[in-house]
Structure formats: C-alpha cells, structure tokens
Amino acid sequence: MKNIFIALTLTLSFYVTSAQTDRVYHSATYINDVAASEVPRFIELHKKFTDMSLGENRKHTGDWLFRHWYGSGHTFVIYEQFNSMEDFHADSDLFLENINNSINAIKDEATKEATKKEWIEYRAFSDGHTDEVRVSSPTSVLSAENVNFDIPFVMVVGKYNSSGNWVKMGNAFFDWRIKPEVDSNTSISGGVSYHFMGSGHEVEVWQCYNSLVDFSTSVTNSAPQDDSLAESRKTFWSLVSGSHEDQIYLHIGHVDTEKGTFDLAGKDN
C-alpha cells in the first residue's frame, strides 16, 4: 500500500506541475519478433497501409516508424503524436475506417482480394505487440534549426524509473545532455516524456543524431563540463531508481503531412 501511495503521489506531482502547459500524447507500439528476412516486407506493408489509412479525418499530428538497432527487445516501434487523449481514442477507429474504405474502393476484384490478404498479413505482425501512451510538454522537446528529418537518423532512448519528482529528473537530463548537445549541433533533436498509460518506464529521454558516427562522437566526447551541467548530471542520477534500459533506433520513415503519404527515409523514397 505504501508503494502504491508513493507512485500515486509522484504521478499527481507531475500532472500538477505540467497542468499549465500544453501536452502532447505519444502512442508507442512495439512490434516484436520480426525475423530479419521479414523486415523489408513489414516496412513495405506498413507504408502501404499507412498510406491507405490517411485522410483529413485522422487525429494524429505525427507518425514515425523506427527499427530497433541495438539493445534488448522489439524489432520496430511506431510513435504517433496526439493533442489529446480524446483524439488518441478516436483515431484508432478512423484508422480502420479509412483502410476499409480504401480497400472497398478498389474496383478490380483480384486486386481487392490480394489487398485483403496483405492486410491480414500486415496485422499478423502485431501479434504479441506491446504499447503505451506517454506525455510531454513543448518545453521538454528541443530541435536544431533547419533539420532535415528525411534521413535514416539515429534515435537513442533511455528509459528510467524515478525515486522522486519525475519532472525534476527529466529537466535535469534536459539541462545536462539535450540542450548542450543541440546547441552545439552534436544532436539534431531531443526530448523527455513521462509515463501516462500502459506498460513502460516513468521517465523516458531521447536524442536524435544525423548518424551513428555523430552518436558515437557524443558518447566519447571527453570535454569537461561546467558546474551547472555537472550539477544537472548529479541531480538526474540521484533520482534514478533501479536499473534502466537503453535502446538505439534507426529512422525508417514518417508521415509527411504536406505530401499526405508515408515517406521512407532518404532522398526520393
């Protein structure tokens, strides 16, 4: 009972702290155990049915696919962003509605039947998946100016539980790692999100790099830190509870809202 009370207190502390800011809700779907030989097929089908699902009625504000490159666990993660939980819940039905309408609109019966079989094949990849919803505020995300995200950039994710205030812990990481690296053009973007619903860690931090070389450089950089960064680092680690999890992802593609399609990472893809 004591642990439940502490967890509830920390959760309420986060929401009170962030009540005066706009929230972004991040839906994360983890696709597990896709064989290496099936990875290209999953990407092909993901693009096809994401394109078929798009429309002006959809509620998501972002849709990103990453392939797992290093660390334990899943093969892919799909991140979607929403302005509210109402939009999140509504969008699931709209996703299916648009795909069904797109399939039903196919005139050629052979093509329609083949597409139905592909839809079943694509959905089978989700067997055994896990998911969660996380929340962040605009002030917990920072990107460099004029970033080209249409490349297979690297995203590094750290997942932690906290022994204290989640926001204090997230802000400490933001001040220690994210802001200095974006300001110095070492990293192209970074942010912090907090657990909201489903399975997952309490505090999650992420940073994006143009390449694995840039990421490696940031890790091996031995430049001395000033006192404020050292204090933020100390604060962050003082609030970490238990073991943590690190993941490295490669960006596969995302929905380009201007084009209205799922855009594979890379020029002319």
Side-chain angles (χ1 to χ4, degrees):
M1 179 64 70
K2 180 180 179 181
N3 288 338
I4 294 174
F5 176 76
I6 292 173
L8 179 60
T9 301
L10 295 178
T11 303
L12 290 175
S13 174
F14 165 65
Y15 292 120
V16 169
T17 304
S18 61
Q20 303 303 317
T21 65
D22 294 329
R23 297 178 188 169
V24 177
Y25 296 85
H26 307 265
S27 166
T29 302
Y30 302 99
I31 307 296
N32 301 303
D33 302 323
V34 179
S37 60
E38 291 295 312
V39 164
R41 180 59 171 165
F42 174 84
I43 296 171
E44 176 188 1
L45 293 176
H46 182 78
K47 173 174 170 50
K48 178 171 184 172
F49 288 105
T50 299
D51 285 346
M52 293 177 71
S53 76
L54 297 177
E56 293 183 359
N57 59 342
R58 290 291 303 278
K59 302 297 184 181
H60 61 179
T61 60
D63 190 321
W64 300 75
L65 175 66
F66 292 89
R67 180 182 178 183
H68 192 262
W69 185 78
Y70 180 82
S72 61
H74 44 276
T75 311
F76 291 97
V77 58
I78 303 166
Y79 284 110
E80 294 181 272
Q81 287 78 41
F82 300 90
N83 289 327
S84 68
M85 285 303 294
E86 290 78 11
D87 286 351
F88 165 74
H89 290 298
D91 192 70
S92 179
D93 290 337
L94 295 172
F95 170 83
L96 295 174
E97 177 185 313
N98 289 356
I99 287 178
N100 287 330
N101 289 341
S102 295
I103 292 175
N104 291 333
I106 298 173
K107 301 299 182 183
D108 181 76
E109 286 301 320
T111 302
K112 180 183 291 187
E113 289 304 311
T115 304
K116 288 180 179 179
K117 290 180 180 179
E118 287 184 323
W119 173 237
I120 294 172
E121 179 186 358
Y122 174 64
R123 297 293 286 176
F125 281 111
S126 297
D127 290 347
H129 78 278
T130 58
D131 48 39
E132 65 173 318
V133 176
R134 308 192 63 81
V135 63
S136 67
S137 70
T139 57
S140 64
V141 177
L142 182 65
S143 294
E145 295 183 3
N146 303 316
V147 175
N148 176 22
F149 286 105
D150 188 22
I151 60 172
F153 63 82
V154 175
M155 182 168 72
V156 181
V157 177
K159 304 181 179 185
Y160 303 84
N161 288 321
S162 177
S163 61
N165 185 287
W166 298 3
V167 174
K168 182 178 180 181
M169 179 177 169
N171 287 345
F173 188 91
F174 187 93
D175 293 339
W176 165 41
R177 291 290 304 274
I178 294 173
K179 189 175 187 305
E181 290 194 11
V182 171
D183 287 347
S184 65
N185 294 317
T186 304
S187 168
I188 59 176
S189 185
V192 182
S193 69
Y194 304 93
H195 180 70
F196 185 82
M197 185 174 72
S199 60
H201 289 71
E202 294 166 347
V203 180
E204 186 171 295
V205 299
W206 53 270
Q207 292 178 274
C208 298
Y209 302 87
N210 276 316
S211 66
L212 287 168
V213 173
D214 284 359
F215 166 59
S216 299
T217 300
S218 74
V219 172
T220 58
N221 185 3
S222 59
Q225 296 183 333
D226 63 32
D227 291 344
S228 64
L229 297 186
E231 186 62 30
S232 295
R233 177 182 182 278
K234 180 179 178 182
T235 298
F236 173 77
W237 285 112
S238 72
L239 292 170
V240 172
S241 176
S243 61
H244 70 277
E245 177 183 316
D246 293 317
Q247 304 287 347
I248 301 177
Y249 299 111
L250 297 180
H251 171 228
I252 300 301
H254 64 279
V255 170
D256 186 315
T257 55
E258 293 184 1
K259 296 179 181 178
T261 61
F262 182 83
D263 188 15
L264 292 170
K267 186 176 181 181
D268 300 326
N269 286 338

